[in-house]
Amino acid sequence: MRTTLWLAGLFAAAVALALFAGENQGTVTLFWPPHRIDMSVNLVVLLLLGAFALLYLALRTWAVLLDLPRQARRWRAQQRERAAHEELLDALVQLLAGRYVRARKAAEGAQARQVAMDAAGEALPHGATLRAVAHLIAAESAQALQQRDLRDAQFNQALALAGGSDTTPELREGLLLRSARWALEDRDAAGALARLDELPQGAARRTLALRTKLKAARQAGRGAQALDTARLLAKHRAFSVEAARSLVRQLVAEQIRDTHDAHQLQTVWAALDAGERGTPELSALAARRLIALGGNAAQARAWLRPALDAWLEDPASLSGTPRLRLMDALLDSLAADAGGPEGAGVTDPELRQWLARLEAAQQAFPRDAGLQYLVGMACLHQRLWGRAQVLLSQAVQRVDDAGLRRRAWRALAELAAQRGDEAEALKAWQQAGRD
């Protein structure tokens, strides 16, 4: 359709031109005394058009001739710019290839070319960014070669360029992040955190910044800061769900182990959320740490209650090491009360409630040897010798864990020694040694 319209237009123009040229009888007379020249109007029009075309071409030719020096300068600037970019790319390639000396020399060459262009008045709009990146590559190479003085000098020059108005904020943020990573590599956690504190609020919450902050906080021994950062990373889904939970548990466990008194431990525990306090491993670790620090055993059992209630309702939901730690923590709290002359301030009804809760769970799940062992040891701590003897004698034949069997045999040996049955005690001690 478009081709058809073009052909129709050309045909109409040709017809109009033919009519104009064929029917025009006018003439134009030029007088130049004593001469007279007569020309048709058509010829005059054609001559005028030709003169205009010649004049236009002459002006264009003159403009091009006048513009040749500027074009030459522009061409030379482009060549210098291309050479600077080539050296910068070469520096990056050499850095990635692990050829750090060549990378540094290529980056310095790119810097020199850019400085020469600035001095010649041929500054690029992105010249400051190019030089800053070249300084960064040189600093990265110096860091790999452990040339810290050179690294700091190159970094400071890059940071000074990044503060200009012709660079983007992201350039400065990237430089600060790289500096923080270098500080981590040098085991300077305080320096890394200081660099991260210089970042604006939005950049400081990016995943890369948070990962660096997490490593620096752990390296500096700042458990609370590392835990808050890990929670932010988990919120941003920087890790898988299971990896995030494992990391948070590990950091909380480190905080619990680093406590030095019961009050500090209670402060750490109060800062945890409900989900973390209900974790069997963390509640067991906190309870045992509280008892080791001379804290209240009833408080330790209160910390254990959420995890214990969930386990006693469904013993199959917990197995392995977390289950053993939970049982040990409960038994440690019961032993702490039983060993004190005043029961460490815990009333007998509270202990009886715990024992009744354990016995109810054991009766609801009679096949669970671990529950049977737990109830037997609880009865032992409450000086219910007969009940403990029966339960432990049954549990020792069925429990799978070798550690629990040894403890059960030792408890049976102590019970036999209390009855004065030396032969039975010796037999139990031998069984404990075999397991």
Side-chain angles (χ1 to χ4, degrees), residues 27-285:
T27 60
V28 176
T29 302
L30 298 177
F31 293 94
W32 187 269
H35 304 287
R36 172 183 171 180
I37 301 174
D38 293 325
M39 293 180 294
S40 68
V41 173
N42 294 340
L43 178 60
V44 171
V45 169
L46 290 176
L47 290 175
L48 289 175
L49 290 175
F52 175 78
L54 288 175
L55 179 62
Y56 176 77
L57 290 175
L59 291 176
R60 290 294 300 170
T61 303
W62 181 252
V64 170
L65 290 174
L66 293 178
D67 194 50
L68 281 178
R70 188 183 66 85
Q71 292 287 349
R73 289 194 298 271
R74 181 181 177 185
W75 180 83
R76 287 194 298 269
Q78 288 178 342
Q79 293 301 313
R80 293 193 185 99
E81 179 183 358
R82 181 177 299 176
H85 282 91
E86 287 178 354
E87 288 203 86
L88 186 65
L89 289 175
D90 181 57
L92 181 59
V93 170
Q94 299 294 346
L95 178 66
L96 294 176
R99 308 182 77 169
Y100 302 116
V101 175
R102 292 193 179 187
R104 178 173 57 81
K105 290 181 178 180
E108 291 173 350
Q111 298 168 22
R113 289 185 181 277
Q114 185 60 35
V115 170
M117 291 180 68
D118 293 343
E122 300 170 353
L124 299 174
H126 58 281
T129 302
L130 189 148
R131 285 179 60 191
V133 173
H135 283 299
L136 176 60
I137 293 176
E140 194 77 48
S141 302
Q143 169 66 15
L145 297 173
Q146 296 298 301
Q147 299 172 343
R148 294 184 176 86
D149 293 339
L150 178 60
R151 178 203 67 189
D152 293 339
Q154 293 284 350
F155 171 76
N156 290 332
Q157 294 181 56
L159 197 61
L161 289 168
S165 59
D166 53 348
T167 58
T168 60
E170 289 78 8
L171 177 60
R172 183 174 184 275
E173 294 164 5
L175 290 171
L176 292 174
L177 284 172
R178 290 309 305 167
S179 179
R181 295 296 296 271
W182 297 336
L184 276 181
E185 293 175 5
D186 294 341
R187 310 297 295 178
D188 181 12
L193 291 173
R195 285 299 187 189
L196 292 173
D197 289 339
E198 297 180 35
L199 290 171
Q201 184 176 4
R205 297 178 68 88
R206 293 174 190 159
T207 301
L208 177 59
L210 290 175
R211 286 179 181 272
T212 307
K213 187 176 182 179
L214 174 61
K215 294 178 181 179
R218 295 190 69 181
Q219 194 177 106
R222 302 181 185 180
Q225 188 176 16
L227 181 58
D228 292 340
T229 307
R231 287 169 176 161
L232 275 177
L233 284 168
K235 182 180 179 181
H236 293 173
R237 297 186 179 181
F239 309 109
S240 64
V241 176
E242 189 58 37
R245 289 175 181 171
S246 176
L247 177 60
V248 170
R249 283 199 301 266
Q250 182 180 357
L251 292 172
V252 173
E254 290 176 0
Q255 277 194 285
I256 292 174
R257 294 189 190 98
D258 291 340
T259 54
H260 302 290
D261 55 61
H263 177 72
Q264 183 184 7
L265 179 58
Q266 290 174 354
T267 302
V268 170
W269 186 258
L272 304 181
D273 57 37
E276 293 166 352
R277 287 196 292 267
T279 306
E281 299 95 322
L282 296 180
S283 58
L285 179 61

Side-chain angles (χ1 to χ4, degrees), residues 358-383:
L358 294 175
E359 288 180 338
Q362 192 269 328
Q363 292 173 4
F365 302 96
R367 295 180 179 274
D368 195 308
L371 272 176
Q372 200 170 33
Y373 163 81
L374 181 60
V375 176
M377 294 297 292
C379 291
L380 177 64
H381 291 309
Q382 296 305 307
R383 297 179 175 84

